[in-house]
Amino acid sequence: MQHRSDVEAADALKNAFQQIRTEIGKVIIGQDDVVKSVLISIFSNGHCLLVGVPGLAKTLLVQTISQVLDLDFNRIQFTPDLMPSDIIGSEILGEDRNFKFIRGPIFSNIILADEINRTPPKTQAALLEAMQEKAVTAAGVTHKLAQPFFVLATQNPIEQEGTYPLPEAQLDRFMFNVSLDYPTFAEELQVVKNTTSTLKQEVNKILNAEQIIYFQQLVRNIPVADNVLEYAVKLVAKTRPQGDMATAQVKKMLNWGAGPRASQFLVLGAKCHAVISGKYSPDIEDVKAVAKPILRHRIVRSYHAEAEGLTADAIIEGLF
């Protein structure tokens, strides 16, 4: 059994999570699963990729989250002419004839990387290195980034002209790949009502940077039963068509499966999902709850799957 303090801390995270959702709900109508996934990835110290058509309030969502969590926020609009130095910063010659480093917009707690597939691979790589190392290197000097550090990248699934799709190895850096859908009729009605009047919703701050780092540590400390760990690792192993655990269906429908990072994220995501659901240790249902957004960008469908119109989600569903 965990210490009393661990149980209290887990309850505190659950309560904070509910308060955060309530505050975000004042501004963002619907999108419950999206908000939940973004918050789970923040508390699991991961990054998130949002895929959705323009106009679904992706920027507003991230801005609102940064306000509720009392964190610094920067939005970087990715364009074909964006250079790595536009993100990480550059060295300039000061008045005293010495070089000094001018920090780029990456030096913030929450980064919204808007339309990350609009920028060339060299610039994408600069952002992804910062995500991985939580530091940037300029002129041979390493500069640490502020903690907590969270990247929420958006990708537009429709216009693929003039885009540079993220390679699989770089997609793997994102804990979650969350797809945004159009709002329901009732939700859209509410959105239009709220955004076409002078009414301005104020949100309250619920947590600060220090508390978020504390909760990120707490999530890592949550114990996991062996059978749940094995289930998560087995689920990932089943996606690998070359492996022993792959079914005939997987061998036919997938060209490539998920790597070990998927197993790590499944366990971390399940821990966080358990705590916010009021449990002190994850079970198999928690692994299943986070499996689709964690696996969907890590598996590569075969020609057969595409010809049959089989989505990544349907293939993952089949693995359960």
Side-chain angles (χ1 to χ4, degrees), residues 60-201:
L60 184 63
L61 169 68
V62 187
Q63 254 169 339
T64 310
I65 288 174
S66 64
Q67 284 170 352
V68 175
L69 299 180
D70 197 14
L71 295 173
D72 292 334
F73 162 74
N74 270 334
R75 175 173 176 270
I76 306 171
Q77 180 65 54
F78 281 70
T79 54
D81 58 352
L82 196 74
M83 300 295 286
S85 58
D86 296 332
I87 296 175
I88 61 176
S90 54
E91 296 246 301
I92 64 160
L93 196 59
E95 290 166 7
D96 55 358
R97 314 298 293 158
N98 284 328
F99 281 103
K100 60 177 179 181
F101 179 64
I102 302 294
R103 294 173 163 221
I106 193 87
F107 287 88
S108 192
N109 297 118
I110 294 187
I111 302 294
L112 174 62
D114 223 345
E115 297 199 274
I116 189 171
N117 53 340
R118 288 246 165 268
T119 206
K122 192 176 180 181
T123 309
Q124 288 175 357
L127 172 76
L128 290 150
E129 184 195 0
M131 284 164 56
Q132 187 62 21
E133 310 301 332
K134 306 276 167 91
V136 299
T137 305
V141 181
T142 302
H143 304 268
K144 282 256 176 262
L145 295 172
Q147 294 300 322
F149 175 67
F150 174 68
V151 172
L152 202 128
T154 71
Q155 205 170 311
N156 176 354
I158 327 171
E159 304 168 66
Q160 289 306 337
E161 235 172 88
T163 61
Y164 305 84
L166 283 170
E168 273 68 28
Q170 299 195 339
L171 277 173
D172 196 40
R173 304 274 168 90
F174 289 98
M175 177 174 184
F176 279 137
N177 173 336
V178 182
S179 20
L180 271 91
D181 226 343
Y182 289 109
T184 62
F185 180 75
E187 286 167 356
E188 194 162 345
L189 212 57
Q190 190 62 48
V191 168
V192 174
K193 203 171 167 181
N194 289 4
T195 53
T196 53
S197 69
T198 51
L199 189 73
K200 186 97 174 78
Q201 283 288 2

